[in-house]
């Protein structure tokens, strides 16, 4: 069972979280060309090793988090808030 | 046979206790401290099972979890538990066990005829029979009856489990698995260093191998050392000792899954039968010991053939001599202590050692106890019918003929030891083969998990104790505590190295059972090897070796050794398979714990739940929600009731609980901009005091959800979503705001549970509300269609919008949840006076179908705006989520399945959702479309439906197709019409 250290709530089982996909995707402008949207919606790198992911602490504070997880070992290198402006809400970001 | 198998003294049993139990209906007795297996052996019962595939007689061969034969079904009826291992099952008064895989009985078993078909059931039988061209279904139909009868280990009860199970979530610094000398010392050192320790032991006694050890450890008699350790442990506040607890799985983050069984003596005081422990440990020490391996020879599965260590356990721990004349065959030093104990107990012992030379102390041991020692020999075959009677022995190098035949009633075997590393293997840690020890030794884990004692390949108990201390001290240091540092002993410990037996070339490989539990023979492995299945993972799948409930605990290494002999490669080169959880079978009940029935899927109730029930509602479970389905009057059926509710609503007025709709408060200076980005249609230009129906797309352009959003002020909207998508939409909007558009100043709050909602629909809707809601002008001009207004009910503010889902003059009114019941009662009373009624989910769905509104069956995650006939809603003045990808050419094709209305050609006929739309005479294949929603329409006097058909109305309007429903045996001719069946001009709506 993965244990994710939510910057707001502390370390919790991954069953409290919901996976939200690759955090490396930069979503294009709403009116961007179709190719840009196809790239963002469908193309994924599926790396073996370190990976930046979006997770929501859905059964906790509901904040969206950026989790750096190794897809091979499941080691979690860091957990930060997705919305940087919310950082003052937490005592100090986990790393 | 009598009870003469129990020795007059010794053993860890309470001879003053008398437990009655039964095996296959036979009444027997045993003692407290017995396992089911030891009690059976004490009663002279060795033959306890028929094998899985060939139904061969099988006896007890092990004394612990390594037991591969003695699987029994415990208990009867709803409580029956299949595949219990007799040697790990604690005896208790009243225990009832049954043999498996035999019919009608163990002794007269018709399935034994399978032995005659053994060539048919060989390696790859399933693959060869059912795969490949021209096989598959036809051969399956031929063999099915035969296979169904034979397949599966044991039989589960079909009745609901009446027992209670619990889940325990806990944390600790150090979890120690196993309580032999290594585990006990690790626990002591860790606790003394101040760590919070959990010690889990599968057995009902602590001690592991020490429980049957007549030797010494750390210069003390083993029993004495163990007693003082257990005493010390019980006094330590830092250690939680869990007996009868099997660690079956290790997971990411050093999380362990354990299952604890109830002490059978406490069945009346402990409410749970089993407890599932989820242990989140900082570190884990595996002290699970090692398992002895059997030897391969013809007839090695015959009852009476047992592991040497098991014979030692039965003798020393349970005071049971399973026979009188023992042939003990070994490849290593470990069996000598057992040979000595058997001889001292007065049994006749012939010791056959595969090695040509042994150390001087072992020679002395044999001489002093009168053991008939034969070096350089091994067992070639056993003879006997339901029990072994003689063994043939010959040179251990496989060369030369059988030398002699010895009479015996027990063949005790030791083919070496395998460290129990299944848990480490589950973590993906590969073991390494040590040729001189003939054992897989643990690899290094990246996670904080260590192996100690025999689990790390240490054979001497002194070394085991020392490694437990050393590793626990290192673990304590890693967690910032101080503990005395010690060296970790090296693996091994035998004075003369192990020497594997080589198979003689003239042996009947079909009689050499490698995997006893799955009946895989040496012949199967040879065949698999010849057919190219050399890799262990392939061999496993092709022969099913190691795929039974015991996961090949005793068969894995012998199979690899055999494969290495056949392929002429070392075991280390061949490698091993990965073990996966669970290490030992876990009952589904334990995993489910309390999460069953309503505890698994809790019921959500609307704030109006009790008052709609008072109104006579029949409730329906929809997802988690309980919702009013229909309100029968007198003895109405659901059909009679919903049709009446529809008529009353269209003729007078109806009220409906809509509290389950998702409700989100969208607040902030950028709220309007936010909604403009997530809805396909515009919300920014809409003035405060107005509401609008909106549709959201997914990024790929497919419709996600629909609902209304009410503009309460410049900076605040009240959004409703469908009941089913409420949570999904909320998470999606949060995602967009936090990860994609952090610059938008918008706050979202789920207010679903805060508001009770009631829909009021029908020509008298205005009168009904006006009679109950104050401080509000309901006149058409003052409160026009799609307007939002505040009102007051009984002094409590409420919020209304003139919105219609049914096509009638209609309003939705929301009030604080706790005031909902009072509002419902008031509206319902007035409705009655006006000739109206409450209507339920069935009528709600039917009203929207008449009006041609899309609902859940149409928003199925595959449909676009155009498919739903909502293409014109999409704004061209702004961009929104999904706007780009919805324009992909294939999503815009004219021949996509588009929403249409359906009416039967013959007015009296009905049709059903799920039917396939096809042209008459062309019902093959996937058809042209499908039916999503149907209802009887009281307004029109016949059945109507919504569905999708390729090309939509443009192509099919006015044409006739077949609604084919072959599974339910109904096919109806239907005409394609526009999906708005009632009042397409909307005059009722704007009344
Ligand atoms: Zn959190």
């Amino acid at each position: 069972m993965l244990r994710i250290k939510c910057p707001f709530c502390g370390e919790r089982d991954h069953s409290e979280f919901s996976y939200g996909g690759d955090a490396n995707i930069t979503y294009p402008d709403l009116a961007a060309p179709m190719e840009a949207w196809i790239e963002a919606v469908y193309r994924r790198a599926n790396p073996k090793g370190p990976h930046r992911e979006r997770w929501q602490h859905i059964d906790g504070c509901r904040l969206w988090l950026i989790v750096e997880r190794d897809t091979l070992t499941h080691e979690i290198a860091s957990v930060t808030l997705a919305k940087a402006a919310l950082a003052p809400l937490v005592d100090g970001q986990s790393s | 046979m009598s009870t003469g198998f129990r020795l007059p003294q010794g053993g860890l049993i309470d001879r003053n206790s008398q437990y009655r139990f039964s095996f296959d209906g036979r009444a027997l007795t045993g003692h407290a401290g017995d396992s089911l297996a030891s009690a059976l052996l004490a009663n002279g019962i060795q033959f306890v099972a028929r094998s899985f595939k060939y139904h061969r007689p099988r006896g007890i061969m092990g004394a612990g979890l390594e037991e591969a034969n003695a699987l029994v079904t415990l208990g009867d009826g709803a409580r029956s538990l299949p595949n219990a291992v007799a040697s790990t099952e604690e005896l208790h008064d009243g225990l009832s066990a049954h043999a498996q895989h035999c019919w009608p009985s163990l002794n007269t078993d018709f399935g034994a005829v399978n032995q005659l078909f053994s060539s048919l059931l060989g390696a790859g039988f399933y693959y060869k029979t059912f795969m490949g061209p021209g096989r598959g279904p036809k051969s399956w139909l031929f063999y099915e009856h035969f296979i169904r009868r034979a397949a599966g280990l044991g039989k589960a009860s079909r009745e609901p489990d009446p027992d209670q199970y619990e889940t325990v979530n806990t944390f600790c610094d150090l979890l120690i698995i196993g309580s032999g000398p290594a585990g006990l010392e690790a626990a002591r050192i860790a606790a003394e260093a101040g760590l919070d320790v959990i010690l889990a032991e599968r057995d009902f006694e602590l001690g592991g191998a020490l429980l049957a050890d007549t030797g010494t450890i750390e210069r003390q008699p083993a029993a004495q050392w163990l007693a003082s350790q257990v005493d010390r442990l019980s006094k330590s506040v830092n250690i939680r000792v869990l007996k009868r607890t099997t660690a079956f799985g290790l997971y990411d983050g050093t999380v362990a899954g354990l299952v604890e069984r109830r002490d059978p003596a406490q069945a009346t005081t402990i409410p749970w039968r089993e407890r599932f422990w989820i242990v989140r440990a900082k570190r884990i020490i595996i002290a699970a010991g090692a398992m002895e391996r059997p030897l391969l020879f013809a007839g090695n599965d015959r009852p009476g053939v047992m592991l040497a260590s098991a014979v030692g356990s039965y003798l020393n721990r349970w005071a049971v001599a399973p026979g009188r004349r023992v042939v003990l065959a070994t490849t290593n030093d470990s069996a000598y202590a057992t040979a000595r104990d058997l001889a001292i107990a007065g049994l006749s012992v012939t010791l056959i050692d595969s090695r040509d030379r042994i150390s001087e102390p072992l020679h002395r041991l044999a001489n002093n106890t009168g053991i008939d020692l034969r070096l350089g020999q091994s067992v070639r075959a056993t003879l006997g019918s339901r029990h072994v009677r003689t063994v043939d022995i010959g040179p251990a190098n496989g060369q030369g003929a059988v030398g002699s035949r010895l009479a015996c009633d027990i063949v005790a075997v030791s083919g070496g030891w395998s460290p129990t590393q299944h848990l480490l293997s589950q973590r993906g840690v590969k073991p390494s083969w040590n040729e001189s020890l003939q054992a897989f030794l643990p690899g290094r884990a990246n996670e904080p998990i260590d192996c100690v004692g025999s689990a790390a390949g240490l054979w001497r108990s002194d070394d085991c104790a020392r490694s437990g201390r050393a590793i626990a001290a290192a673990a304590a240091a890693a967690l910032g505590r101080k503990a005395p540092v010690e060296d970790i002993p090296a693996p091994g410990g035998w004075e003369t190295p192990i020497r594997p037996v080589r198979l003689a070339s003239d042996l009947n490989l079909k009689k050499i059972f490698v995997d006893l539990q799955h009946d895989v023979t040496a012949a199967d492995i040879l065949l698999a090897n010849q057919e190219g299945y050399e890799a262990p993972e392939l061999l496993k799948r092709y022969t099913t070796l190691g795929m039974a409930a015991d996961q090949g605990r005793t068969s894995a290494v012998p199979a690899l050794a055999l494969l290495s002999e056949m392929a002429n490669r070392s075991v280390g080169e061949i490698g091993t398979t990965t073990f996966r959880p669970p290490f030992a079978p876990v009952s589904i009940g334990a995993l489910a714990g309390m999460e069953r029935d309503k505890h698994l899927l809790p019921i959500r109730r609307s704030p109006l739940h009790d008052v709609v029930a008072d109104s006579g509602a029949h409730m329906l479970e929809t997802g988690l929600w309980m919702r009013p389905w229909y309100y029968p009057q007198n003895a109405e059926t659901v059909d009679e009731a919903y049709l009446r509710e529809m008529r009353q609503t269209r003729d007078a007025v109806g009220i409906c609980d809509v509290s389950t709709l998702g409700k989100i408060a969208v607040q902030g200076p950028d709220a309007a901009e936010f909604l403009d980005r997530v809805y396909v249609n515009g919300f920014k230009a809409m003035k405060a005091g107005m509401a609008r129906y909106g549709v959201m797309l997914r990024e790929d352009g497919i419709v996600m959800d629909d609902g209304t959003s009410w503009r309460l002020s410049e900076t605040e909207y009240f959004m409703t979503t469908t009941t089913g998508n409420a949570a999904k939409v909320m998470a999606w909007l949060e995602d967009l705001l936090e990860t994609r558009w952090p610059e938008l100043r918008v706050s979202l709050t789920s207010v679903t549970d805060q508001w009770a909602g009631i829909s009021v629909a029908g020509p008298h809707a205005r009168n009904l509300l006006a009679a109950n809601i104050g401080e509000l002008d309901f006149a058409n001009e003052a409160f026009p269609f799609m307007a939002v207004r505040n009102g007051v009910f009984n002094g409590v503010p409420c919020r209304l919008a003139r919105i219609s889902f049914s096509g009638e003059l209609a309003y939705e009114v929301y009030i604080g949840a706790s005031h909902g019941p009072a509002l419902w009662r008031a509206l319902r009373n007035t409705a009655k006076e006006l000739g109206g009624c409450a209507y339920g989910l069935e009528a709600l769905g039917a009203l929207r179908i008449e009006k041609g509104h899309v609902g859940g069956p149409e928003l199925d995650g595959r449909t676009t705006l155009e498919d739903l006939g909502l293409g014109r809603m999409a704004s061209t003045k702004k961009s929104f989520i999904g706007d780009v990808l919805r324009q992909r050419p294939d999503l815009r094709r004219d021949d996509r399945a588009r929403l249409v209305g359906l009416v039967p050609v013959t007015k009296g006929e009905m049709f059903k959702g799920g039917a396939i739309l096809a042209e008459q005479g062309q019902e093959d294949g996937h058809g042209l479309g499908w039916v999503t929603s149907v209802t009887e329409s009281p307004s029109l006097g016949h059945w109507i439906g919504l569905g999708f058909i390729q090309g939509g109305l443009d192509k099919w309007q006015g044409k006739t197709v077949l609604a084919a429903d072959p599974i339910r045996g109904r096919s109806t001719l239907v005409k394609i019409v526009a999906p708005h069946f009632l009042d397409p001009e909307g005059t009722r709506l704007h009344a």
Side-chain angles (χ1 to χ4, degrees), chain A residues 1 13 54 56 64 74, chain B residues 251-252 280 734-735 738:
Chain A
M1 194 178 296
D13 286 347
R54 300 182 308 115
Q56 186 181 20
W64 278 89
H74 288 334
Chain B
Y251 304 91
D252 291 308
R280 296 160 186 87
E734 286 169 328
D735 186 2
E738 282 181 44

Side-chain angles (χ1 to χ4, degrees), chain B residues 842-898:
Chain B
E842 197 68 27
L844 179 77
L847 290 166
R848 69 104 187 159
I849 296 170
E850 282 189 329
K851 186 62 190 166
H853 263 304
V854 293
E858 287 77 38
L859 307 182
D860 67 353
R862 296 181 298 174
T863 45
T864 65
L865 280 177
E866 283 72 20
D867 298 342
L868 296 166
L870 301 173
R872 273 170 307 179
M873 274 183 74
S875 168
T876 53
K877 299 188 189 96
K878 56 147 194 170
S879 300
F880 50 89
I881 290 276
D883 193 15
V884 175
L885 291 185
R886 79 185 185 93
Q887 321 230 11
R888 283 176 290 168
D890 274 7
L891 294 182
R892 311 301 293 249
R893 283 164 61 131
D894 288 338
D895 61 352
R896 275 182 66 84
R898 298 266 162 88

Side-chain angles (χ1 to χ4, degrees), chain B residues 568-720:
Chain B
N568 215 1
R569 292 158 67 207
S570 81
V571 172
E573 279 174 64
I574 294 173
T576 184
T577 55
T578 303
F579 293 103
R580 294 187 175 80
F583 167 57
V586 179
S587 64
I588 300 291
L591 294 179
M594 296 290 214
E595 290 178 28
R596 54 189 281 181
D597 306 323
K598 290 300 163 204
H599 293 284
L600 175 64
L601 284 176
I603 295 175
R604 289 188 78 180
R605 291 186 175 88
S606 135
L608 304 181
H609 184 87
D610 290 344
V611 281
V612 301
D614 287 347
S615 304
H618 272 211
M619 305 302 286
L620 183 70
E621 261 185 82
T622 60
L624 297 180
W625 288 102
M626 290 296 283
R627 298 178 68 180
W629 184 12
Y630 61 101
Y631 297 82
Q633 290 179 357
N634 307 317
E636 278 178 332
T637 64
V638 53
D639 291 341
E640 290 163 353
Y642 93 81
L643 293 170
R644 174 190 47 74
E645 290 165 19
M646 287 175 76
R647 273 192 300 269
Q648 278 184 281
T649 300
R650 295 229 187 271
D651 294 346
V653 66
I655 64 170
C656 180
D657 179 8
V658 293
S659 306
T660 60
L661 292 177
K663 304 178 236 11
I664 302 170
V666 183
Q667 295 160 305
D670 296 322
E673 169 66 20
F674 179 58
L675 291 197
D676 256 14
R677 294 187 193 181
V678 297
Y679 277 126
V680 304
N681 45 336
F683 280 77
K684 218 189 256 177
M686 181 173 80
K687 291 192 172 59
M690 295 302 289
R692 187 164 285 178
Y693 172 74
V695 175
M696 294 179 194
L697 305 185
R698 304 190 310 223
E699 288 169 314
D700 62 0
I702 301 293
V703 173
M704 179 164 79
D705 197 52
D706 67 348
T708 58
S709 276
W710 312 7
R711 190 162 200 172
L712 305 179
S713 73
E714 275 306 297
T715 56
E716 181 171 7
Y717 291 83
F718 176 72
M719 173 189 283
T720 67

Side-chain angles (χ1 to χ4, degrees), chain B residues 713-936:
Chain B
S713 73
E714 275 306 297
T715 56
E716 181 171 7
Y717 291 83
F718 176 72
M719 173 189 283
T720 67
T721 73
T722 60
T723 299
N725 284 335
K728 191 169 103 181
V729 170
M730 182 71 190
W732 168 235
L733 298 181
E734 286 169 328
D735 186 2
L736 290 172
L737 276 179
E738 282 181 44
T739 70
R740 213 171 295 180
W741 303 323
E743 74 283 3
L744 291 186
R745 294 160 300 165
V746 179
S747 155
L748 300 172
T749 312
S750 168
V751 293
T752 300
D753 294 334
Q754 278 66 27
W755 294 95
I758 301 170
S759 167
V760 180
H764 296 328
R766 181 177 287 126
N767 301 343
L768 188 157
L769 283 171
N772 288 283
I773 309 288
E775 298 179 24
L776 184 54
D777 184 354
F778 281 91
N780 201 13
E781 313 74 51
F783 194 168
F785 184 57
M786 295 315 286
V788 176
R789 295 290 181 266
N790 291 318
V792 175
F793 167 74
N794 268 355
V796 178
C798 54
R799 186 181 283 175
L800 298 93
R802 190 171 156 189
I803 293 169
S804 179
F805 200 48
S806 56
E808 297 299 323
L809 166 67
Y811 304 81
E812 275 178 20
V813 50
Y814 289 91
I815 193 164
S818 57
H819 302 286
L823 177 60
W824 174 270
R825 274 192 294 266
L827 295 183
R828 169 148 163 92
N829 287 339
T830 317
K832 257 188 187 163
E833 289 161 16
L834 294 170
C837 66
Y839 66 95
L841 207 53
E842 197 68 27
L844 179 77
L847 290 166
R848 69 104 187 159
I849 296 170
E850 282 189 329
K851 186 62 190 166
H853 263 304
V854 293
E858 287 77 38
L859 307 182
D860 67 353
R862 296 181 298 174
T863 45
T864 65
L865 280 177
E866 283 72 20
D867 298 342
L868 296 166
L870 301 173
R872 273 170 307 179
M873 274 183 74
S875 168
T876 53
K877 299 188 189 96
K878 56 147 194 170
S879 300
F880 50 89
I881 290 276
D883 193 15
V884 175
L885 291 185
R886 79 185 185 93
Q887 321 230 11
R888 283 176 290 168
D890 274 7
L891 294 182
R892 311 301 293 249
R893 283 164 61 131
D894 288 338
D895 61 352
R896 275 182 66 84
R898 298 266 162 88
L899 185 74
V900 292
L902 306 161
V903 294
V905 171
T906 308
K907 291 293 178 219
E909 287 190 346
M910 72 168 298
F911 54 109
K912 288 194 169 182
I916 299 295
L917 297 175
E919 280 196 277
Q920 272 181 280
Q922 296 181 30
E923 293 101 52
D924 275 2
H926 295 180
L928 299 163
W930 61 96
V931 181
T932 49
S933 304
V934 297
T935 181
E936 192 174 342

Side-chain angles (χ1 to χ4, degrees), chain B residues 259-311:
Chain B
V259 67
E260 179 186 14
R261 293 165 298 279
R262 174 174 59 196
D263 176 355
Q266 301 205 51
T268 53
T269 50
I270 297 178
W272 46 266
R273 177 174 174 169
E274 291 180 351
R275 290 205 289 192
F276 172 30
W277 287 73
I278 303 168
V279 179
R280 296 160 186 87
K282 289 185 185 139
R283 302 189 69 91
I284 294 174
I285 288 181
I286 298 173
M291 286 191 192
E292 199 168 30
R293 297 193 294 261
L295 287 168
L296 300 184
F297 47 81
N300 65 333
D301 66 327
R302 195 157 270 134
V305 179
M306 302 174 74
L307 294 171
S309 59
V311 174

Side-chain angles (χ1 to χ4, degrees), chain B residues 202-215:
Chain B
R202 178 199 57 73
D203 205 319
F204 50 92
E205 295 288 354
L206 299 179
L210 294 178
L211 290 168
D213 193 341
T214 56

Side-chain angles (χ1 to χ4, degrees), chain B residues 153-182:
Chain B
L153 282 164
K155 271 203 183 70
S157 163
R158 289 181 175 274
E159 294 167 58
D161 190 337
D163 284 317
Q164 184 182 323
Y165 300 84
E166 285 183 3
T167 308
V168 185
N169 283 284
T170 194
F171 299 80
C172 66
D173 292 326
L174 180 64
L175 169 65
I176 299 170
I177 297 161
S179 70

